[in-house]
Amino acid sequence: MTEAAARRAPGTPCWVSLMVHDMAATQEFYGALFGWEFRPGPQQLGPYARALLDGREVAGIGLLPSERQLAIAWTPYLASDDVDATAETVRHCGGTVGVGPLDAGEAGRMAIGSDPSGAVFGIWQAAEHLGMAVTGVPGAVAWNELVTRETASVAKFYESVFGYAEEPVVSADFDCLTLVLEGRPVASVQGVGHALPRDRGSHWMTYFEVADVDESVERVADLGGHVVKPARDGSHGRVATVADPEGARFALVTSRG
């Protein structure tokens, strides 16, 4: 599923970004894993590079400012027509805004917030930079999932802020729902109860499409990352959870169909 970079409806996941201590080593890791190349992006929060897949922008990697105590984690950005108004709504609905709103050069305007359960996400108001130019192909983002203790209360937050509808995933064993925008599924929320890692808390998980999960998992280990959950068959395809050399976790998926 490819898509042209067009202005997205508010609430649509439109970008993913990772802030790290060693940009050069991180770029080398993801370049070798996904075939990404890099070019400079906005420098408002410090050195920042955009990852390109076959010349099309798919993600960003930046240098973690030494004074900021942010976890090293992939962060999804959700589209907004007015980031200042969205940030105000985040606060009003029980979330927090830790960075911004601020201008990212000519690219757009951004903020980084967290929901009431502590999961961090970005807000992006596009100007010149519309976000991911391609999704769902090997080396690009396939999906975003919020992993949290229970879905009900935190889903209400996202519905209030971004106008999502929700579709429960009918299952006796899983607390899971899908966030829907204009009739289209855009993200999922997975309640894992006490299985939520204490050292991480609620968090967004980015899924990257790969041609062969098992092969990519081996490559992660060879490149200095590690496997968090081995490859397994799920409802949407074969998936594994891995971490890069700095510990940022992400999922690899080979989608069905």
Side-chain angles (χ1 to χ4, degrees), residues 11-175:
T12 308
C14 61
W15 190 242
V16 289
S17 197
L18 174 65
M19 306 295 278
V20 296
H21 296 297
D22 186 335
M23 274 183 72
T26 300
Q27 287 179 24
E28 198 173 307
F29 172 85
Y30 287 101
L33 181 62
F34 293 139
W36 290 352
E37 296 174 339
F38 295 90
R39 70 169 171 225
Q43 311 290 308
Q44 270 62 31
L45 294 177
Y48 191 80
R50 290 185 185 152
L52 282 74
L53 182 69
D54 299 326
R56 294 181 290 182
E57 294 178 345
V58 290
I61 294 175
L63 187 67
L64 190 66
S66 55
E67 73 278 7
R68 291 202 186 278
Q69 297 302 308
L70 291 173
I72 295 173
W74 281 100
T75 301
Y77 279 72
L78 308 174
S80 170
D81 286 340
D82 183 340
V83 72
D84 295 78
T86 302
E88 195 53 46
T89 307
V90 165
R91 292 189 191 98
H92 179 72
C93 293
T96 58
V97 177
V99 178
L102 55 86
D103 288 326
E106 303 299 313
R109 191 162 169 79
M110 60 158 286
I112 299 174
S114 55
D115 66 29
S117 73
V120 175
F121 61 92
I123 307 164
W124 182 253
Q125 180 182 337
E128 287 183 0
H129 176 62
L130 297 173
M132 294 179 286
V134 59
T135 58
V137 301
V141 172
W143 190 245
N144 291 282
E145 181 173 77
L146 174 62
V147 182
T148 190
R149 192 174 293 279
E150 53 86 28
T151 62
S153 58
V154 77
K156 292 286 182 285
F157 166 83
Y158 287 97
E159 289 160 24
S160 300
V161 175
F162 293 105
Y164 300 128
E166 66 174 73
E167 274 180 16
V169 176
V170 180
S171 169
D173 302 321
F174 298 106
D175 174 19

